[in-house]
Amino acid sequence: MDLTSEEQRTLAGDDGEAARIAMAVLVDLGAVFGADRLIPVAQVHIDATLYMVDAGVAFAERMAATGGRFRVPTSLNPSAVDLLHPEALRPPPDLLENSRRLERAYLSMGAAPTWTCAPYQQGMVPRFGQQIAWAESNAIVFANSVIGARTNRYGDLMDICAAVVGKAPCFGLHLETHRHAELVIDASALPRSVQYDPATYPLLGYIVGELAGDRIPAVLGIPPDVPVRALKSFGAAAASSGAVGLFHMVGVTPEARCLEMCTGGRKMEEIHAVTAKDLAGAAARLSNPDLSRPDLIVVGCPHYAYAEMTTMARLLDGRRVNPGIAFWAFTGRCAYGWMRHSGLLQALTNAGVTVFTDACPLLYPGESWPFTAALSDSAKFVNYCTSQTGLPAAIGSLADCVETAVTGRFRRSAFP
Amino acid sequence: MNVILKGCPVVAGHAAGRVLKSDQSISFWGGVDPHTGCIVDPRHDLFGQSVAGRVLAFPVGKGSSTGSLILLELARVGLAPAAIVTIRCEPILATGPIVIKHFYGRQIPVITLSAEDFDRLETGQPVEVDAESGTVRIEIDKKSLS
């Protein structure tokens, strides 16, 4: 890799230990993937923000203590706790303490306290074509696909290194020539009512992730006016069932005004048609078949935007959550602030919904809560729920979530 | 008699161990318990098995970007795989072993094999992974003795 003299000095340790480690990681990673140079990035999003393991705290604290400072605007993924209401998720003392240690380390290096997995909706939005270094799989796929910014699927720790250096190795999805579709998924046979049903998109994303693996899919047949909420849940699902970092939706996403544009004119050998039956199959694969009565309902994985909170409030329609059910909605600080100022937060709280900011529903301290089963509108949440929280889980539409919450009886619409 | 499979080095290092192989992809986050090293996704064909000290072979990484942090913790507590053999290596998978090298000064070699060579690996085989030359040496004799 060709390094500038400045980069070589950083690698030699002239800018301190943190910058040396960060540069060494970037250079090694670039060498693996054939990068010829580093490129400046406009933003970094750090994923390693949820306390899970001591190695994460050790890395962040040592980077901060050895002079690490973020050289570009840097946003933070959720914490393991609601940092504004630290008791709300009933964290054990060590979880809160470790979360505070991560908070101190990242803020001391210059991060913005965004604490959200949807920075693309919460005040840190990159523009089309911009080079960025993001971690957090759902944020990566949204930035690449829906916005057309450019990042690889960076992992925890690499994100911190990119923020300290302000650069990323130039390979993969940073390059226009590496952003072409590699397979086609044709959803045009889905009935129109299914195409316009928001509950379709997490399931479709789940299927696309399974089919694509780590390749770039082009999806055909999606209505051009599909809402952002659908694209967000689609991408989050595809990035959890597969390693999808970029998808194209022909006529919807900016690098796919037509199929030829996103394939680079190459003929696509692999084409899969998706039917309504496939969607039902995905819902069945994701959901625990024995689940009969969820007592935890989770929305906001990824973090709900303000608009999604208003959609949920409309479906609640003034009704109250059944006392036997916990209805949890997760968001970031921007939307939370707007909800507080508009009265939406008070209205949802009065209806029995608990709104958390900063935190992640997959990391709630299970030992502090008596839940037996979870229902969510997020394929990502349901995909990881059992292994992360031990709870059996099922996927439902947002309307299913709201009706189950209000009546206390498990409503699962036929999918779809 | 040994069989030598020639692949591409991804992360440098040299390791020996017994193969733990799956034809399914692995997500370290949500898929591997960082405190025990065991595969905890009940839908995975290696469910319940420990990756510690094994030459972990799977076709491609998947899932959330927290995987590299889980691998760093596995290295911190001594439960990391000895080496990783894969068909396609993506950045999240490579990041863990690279950071482990610079942060803890330890090696978890990673190499990629062709799909045909990958198919020749079997769980339980004793192998040596040399990421300088990009080879996996299957020790057939040891296997027959064991």
Side-chain angles (χ1 to χ4, degrees), chain B residues 3 10 14 36 49 67 76 79 89 107 112:
Chain B
V3 173
V10 176
H14 183 276
T36 64
Q49 305 228 43
R76 193 185 71 85
L79 293 172
C89 185
Q107 290 181 341
T112 57

Side-chain angles (χ1 to χ4, degrees), chain B residues 87-107:
Chain B
I87 297 173
R88 281 203 308 276
C89 185
E90 47 133 11
I92 291 173
L93 185 55
T95 297
I98 288 173
V99 172
I100 288 163
K101 173 180 149 193
H102 293 293
F103 193 65
Y104 286 127
R106 272 180 242 155
Q107 290 181 341

Side-chain angles (χ1 to χ4, degrees), chain A residues 212-302:
Chain A
D214 62 350
R215 296 176 297 166
I216 301 169
V219 185
L220 294 175
I222 304 300
D225 55 346
V226 64
V228 172
R229 170 186 161 200
L231 299 175
K232 177 182 176 184
S233 61
F234 173 93
S240 74
S241 62
V244 175
L246 164 65
F247 64 82
H248 299 294
M249 271 186 188
V250 173
V252 175
T253 58
E255 290 166 79
R257 286 198 295 275
C258 60
L259 182 62
E260 292 68 31
M261 182 177 168
C262 69
T263 61
R266 286 175 305 169
K267 184 169 160 36
M268 293 285 98
E269 307 281 342
E270 187 177 335
I271 299 172
H272 303 268
V274 175
T275 63
K277 203 175 146 204
D278 295 329
L279 298 174
R285 275 201 303 291
L286 267 167
S287 299
N288 187 309
D290 303 326
L291 192 142
S292 59
R293 192 184 172 281
D295 47 12
L296 172 64
I297 294 173
V298 168
V299 300
C301 173

Side-chain angles (χ1 to χ4, degrees), chain A residues 47 49-52 77-83 89 95 115-117 136 298-303 328-331 356-365 380-381 384 388-389, chain B residues 29 64 66:
Chain A
D47 182 59
T49 49
L50 300 110
Y51 171 79
M52 264 181 282
N77 222 40
S79 172
V81 302
D82 182 335
L83 292 162
L89 274 166
L95 179 62
W115 306 112
T116 183
C117 50
E136 165 51 51
V298 168
V299 300
C301 173
H303 276 177
W328 288 1
F330 289 76
T331 190
F356 297 98
T357 180
D358 297 6
C360 171
L362 284 163
L363 268 295
Y364 83 90
K380 175 175 180 169
F381 177 83
Y384 290 126
Q388 285 302 310
T389 72
Chain B
W29 183 68
S64 175
T66 310

Side-chain angles (χ1 to χ4, degrees), chain A residues 46-73:
Chain A
I46 292 184
D47 182 59
T49 49
L50 300 110
Y51 171 79
M52 264 181 282
V53 292
D54 288 344
V57 181
F59 190 80
E61 288 185 342
R62 191 162 130 201
M63 293 299 270
T66 56
R69 295 295 175 268
F70 297 152
R71 298 185 60 163
V72 293

Side-chain angles (χ1 to χ4, degrees), chain A residues 20-21 24-26 28-29 32-33 47-48 50 52-56 58-59 62-63 135-137 140 152-158 161 171 206 212-215 239-243 285-286 360 362-363 380 382-384 386-388, chain B residues 9-12 25 27-35 40-43 59-77 87-105:
Chain A
R20 186 192 65 77
I21 289 177
V25 169
L26 299 189
D28 269 12
L29 195 72
V32 169
F33 294 98
D47 182 59
L50 300 110
M52 264 181 282
V53 292
D54 288 344
F59 190 80
R62 191 162 130 201
M63 293 299 270
E136 165 51 51
S137 60
I140 292 163
N152 284 308
R153 271 172 49 84
Y154 290 121
D156 285 34
L157 312 167
M158 154 68 198
C161 298
F171 70 96
Y206 191 78
D214 62 350
R215 296 176 297 166
S240 74
S241 62
R285 275 201 303 291
L286 267 167
C360 171
L362 284 163
L363 268 295
K380 175 175 180 169
V382 174
N383 188 26
Y384 290 126
T386 303
S387 66
Q388 285 302 310
Chain B
V10 176
V11 180
S25 50
S27 170
F28 275 92
W29 183 68
V32 181
D33 183 338
H35 307 296
V40 286
D41 180 348
R43 293 163 298 183
V60 61
K62 70 163 183 179
S64 175
S65 42
T66 310
S68 37
L69 181 59
I70 300 300
L71 203 55
L72 187 73
E73 177 71 5
L74 289 172
R76 193 185 71 85
V77 298
I87 297 173
R88 281 203 308 276
C89 185
E90 47 133 11
I92 291 173
L93 185 55
T95 297
I98 288 173
V99 172
I100 288 163
K101 173 180 149 193
H102 293 293
F103 193 65
Y104 286 127

